[in-house]
């Protein structure tokens, strides 16, 4: 359930029991907003109900939420030229640098709708970025919010070979002295991601890796991926907070895939020369059905080769070692597996 919050407002809510859908209030406009969210059925009818509520209570938050919902539910034409026009005019009437926009729960869906109006390719994605970022710079209120979303979205669509789009946005909008000084940490992280994308592009064969397990038994990556239809690698550091957050999700997802009969080998790769907590980490999340490995003799040459300096890093390979995906996305992995099973 979403709540409308305005500066200086005071609203009391009541929740009998632990079922959030039973949340209630006597304070408008939240009383009407909760009722709107419970509506079922036709999205257009639901939008009309929201617009009626917004006309009755035109608060800044409800005004912005309603405007974004109209964009989210916008009907996209079939004709290609009409699609291009729809993309170019998509954000008309929206102040893209309104402070509250990045707090809106429907903003990510709006951005997703926007980027999928036209086919996902480098030409369209560069134009998408130019329309979204037109007139903005690193002083703009939501500039980094949009750049960050673009980079994450490009990573999500990495199987579409959009490295050129990533490099284009990076160089045109972020790679200048003023932006670097203003957003040094974000800039450095983006450089690492760009280098990683360019190091082993989608569709190329993964470089050979020599690895060993806790008992110093040696493995080569090519020997492993040749035995399974798919191989998934997770590069990690036990001290990495993001690795700790992702580990249970990754383990649960791939364990379920295997139970469902998908022919996939899974590997964790210690991405640091510090072996403290290596076994503790893998025993907690990846004890059964996973190969838990590190670089043979702690040779770190692979770091430059793969540009895998950040953690976690992911690779999905086919039986010939070709890189299919460089992220952990359940939706994209499911799609790839389904497409290959049809073939």
């Amino acid at each position: 359930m979403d709540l409308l919050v305005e500066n200086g407002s005071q609203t009391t809510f009541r929740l009998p029991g632990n079922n959030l859908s039973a949340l209630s209030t006597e304070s408008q406009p939240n009383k009407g907003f909760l009722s709107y969210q419970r509506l079922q059925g036709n999205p257009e009818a639901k939008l009309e109900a929201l617009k009626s509520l917004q006309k009755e209570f035109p608060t800044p938050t409800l005004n912005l939420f309603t405007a974004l919902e109209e964009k989210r539910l916008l009907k996209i034409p079939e004709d290609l030229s009409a699609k291009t026009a729809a993309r170019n005019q998509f954000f008309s009437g929206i102040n893209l640098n309104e402070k509250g926009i990045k707090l809106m729960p429907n903003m990510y869906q709006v951005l997703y709708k926007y980027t999928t109006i036209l086919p996902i390719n480098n030409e369209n994605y560069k134009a998408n970025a130019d329309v979204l970022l037109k007139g903005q710079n690193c002083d703009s209120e939501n500039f980094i919010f949009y750049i960050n979303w673009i980079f994450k979205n490009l990573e999500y669509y990495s199987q579409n070979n959009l490295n050129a789009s990533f490099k284009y946005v990076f160089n045109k909008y972020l790679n200048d002295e003023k932006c670097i000084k203003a957003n040094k940490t974000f800039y450095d992280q983006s450089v690492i991601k760009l280098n990683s994308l360019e190091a082993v592009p989608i569709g190329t064969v993964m470089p050979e890796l020599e690895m060993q397990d806790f008992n110093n038994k040696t493995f080569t990556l090519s020997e492993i991926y040749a035995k399974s239809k798919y191989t998934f690698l997770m590069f990690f550091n036990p001290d990495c907070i993001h690795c700790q957050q992702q580990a249970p999700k990754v383990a649960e997802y791939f364990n379920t895939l295997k139970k469902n009969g998908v022919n996939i080998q899974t590997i964790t790769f210690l991405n640091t020369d510090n072996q403290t907590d290596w076994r503790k980490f893998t025993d907690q999340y990846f004890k059964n059905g996973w190969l838990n490995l590190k670089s043979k003799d702690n040779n770190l040459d692979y770091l430059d080769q793969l540009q895998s300096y950040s953690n976690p890093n992911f690779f999905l390979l086919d039986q010939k070692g070709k890189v299919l995906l460089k992220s952990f996305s359940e939706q994209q992995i499911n799609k790839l597996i389904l497409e290959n099973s049809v073939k």
Side-chain angles (χ1 to χ4, degrees):
M1 305 298 289
D2 294 320
L3 307 177
L4 295 169
V5 180
E6 306 291 345
N7 289 337
S9 65
Q10 294 185 2
T11 305
T12 300
F13 295 91
R14 180 174 180 271
L15 180 62
N18 59 7
N19 185 349
L20 196 56
S21 64
L23 192 69
S24 64
T25 182
E26 293 303 313
S27 303
Q28 294 286 15
N30 268 296
K31 182 177 182 179
F33 192 56
L34 290 173
S35 297
Y36 147 77
Q37 291 177 77
R38 295 188 182 100
L39 293 176
Q40 302 293 323
N42 189 296
E44 287 78 14
K46 188 173 180 179
L47 177 60
E48 289 305 314
L50 176 64
K51 290 164 72 173
S52 295
L53 179 67
Q54 180 264 334
K55 288 179 181 177
E56 185 177 359
F57 303 100
T59 67
T61 303
L62 189 51
N63 288 346
L64 180 56
F65 181 87
T66 304
L68 292 175
E69 276 297 277
E70 289 186 87
K71 300 297 184 183
R72 187 179 73 84
L73 296 172
L74 185 69
K75 289 185 178 180
I76 304 301
E78 295 294 329
D79 179 71
L80 183 59
S81 60
K83 282 178 181 284
T84 302
R87 186 272 309 277
N88 294 341
Q89 298 298 319
F90 186 81
F91 291 110
S92 61
I94 301 288
N95 177 5
L96 287 171
N97 280 308
E98 189 167 340
K99 285 186 176 182
I101 206 165
K102 55 193 170 188
L103 301 177
M104 290 293 105
N106 52 355
M107 185 57 189
Y108 292 101
Q109 293 172 302
V110 169
L111 288 169
Y112 178 79
K113 176 71 171 279
Y114 169 70
T115 57
T116 54
I117 292 174
L118 292 163
I120 303 294
N121 58 43
N122 280 301
E123 180 183 1
N124 289 333
Y125 211 103
K126 291 175 185 179
N128 289 345
D130 286 340
V131 172
L132 176 62
L133 299 173
K134 183 178 181 180
Q136 299 191 48
N137 56 49
C138 52
D139 291 327
S140 302
E141 180 69 35
N142 295 325
F143 179 74
I144 291 299
F145 168 73
Y146 295 128
I147 294 286
N148 186 41
W149 186 88
I150 287 171
F151 287 167
K152 288 183 177 180
N153 191 244
L154 285 168
E155 185 179 357
Y156 175 78
Y157 284 113
S158 60
Q159 80 281 4
N160 291 47
N161 290 315
L162 297 176
N163 292 7
S165 294
F166 194 113
K167 197 169 186 177
Y168 173 83
V169 174
F170 176 84
N171 286 325
K172 182 172 182 178
Y173 294 101
L174 190 62
N175 196 20
D176 68 66
E177 185 175 353
K178 184 177 181 180
C179 281
I180 294 171
K181 287 182 178 179
N183 307 281
K184 186 63 167 61
T185 300
F186 178 71
Y187 175 84
D188 291 343
Q189 292 170 345
S190 301
V191 169
I192 291 172
K193 180 57 65 177
L194 179 58
N195 290 339
S196 175
L197 288 171
E198 294 187 324
V200 189
I202 300 292
T204 60
V205 174
M206 185 79 167
E208 184 67 282
L209 294 175
E210 289 190 295
M211 304 169 285
Q212 58 191 137
D213 63 13
F214 296 115
N215 300 316
N216 293 325
K217 180 181 177 180
T218 59
F219 300 79
T220 62
L221 181 59
S222 59
E223 291 172 341
I224 296 172
Y225 64 62
K227 296 177 182 178
S228 303
K229 190 169 184 179
Y230 304 101
T231 298
F232 179 81
L233 293 89
M234 174 181 173
F235 289 73
F236 75 99
N237 182 331
D239 294 329
C240 159
I241 297 299
H242 293 301
C243 300
Q244 295 166 14
Q245 293 171 339
Q246 288 281 68
K249 302 174 186 176
V250 171
E252 181 181 5
Y253 172 72
F254 283 103
N255 292 342
T256 301
L257 274 190
K258 293 176 185 178
K259 288 178 183 178
N260 291 335
V262 175
N263 182 12
I264 187 166
Q265 174 64 67
T266 48
I267 304 170
T268 65
F269 190 102
L270 183 68
N271 199 27
T272 174
D273 59 355
N274 182 0
Q275 297 182 36
T276 304
D277 294 331
W278 176 27
R279 188 155 207 156
K280 180 181 177 182
F281 184 87
T282 54
D283 279 353
Q284 182 175 0
Y285 302 110
F286 305 105
K287 189 169 185 178
N288 299 315
W290 288 72
L291 280 173
N292 298 306
L293 308 173
K294 68 177 184 67
S295 179
K296 185 180 178 182
D297 300 326
N298 294 323
N299 186 329
L300 300 181
D301 289 347
Y302 73 91
L303 286 169
D304 283 332
Q305 195 173 23
L306 303 181
Q307 287 293 308
S308 58
Y309 291 99
S310 62
N311 291 292
N313 255 314
F314 307 103
F315 292 86
L316 179 67
L317 313 178
D318 69 7
Q319 199 163 7
K320 295 182 179 180
K322 184 173 72 174
V323 179
L324 301 176
L325 198 64
K326 296 177 67 174
S327 62
F328 172 63
S329 165
E330 297 180 25
Q331 183 178 354
Q332 294 299 325
I333 295 171
N334 289 340
K335 181 181 177 182
L336 282 166
I337 290 173
L338 179 61
E339 286 176 350
N340 288 332
S341 66
V342 172
K343 293 177 184 178

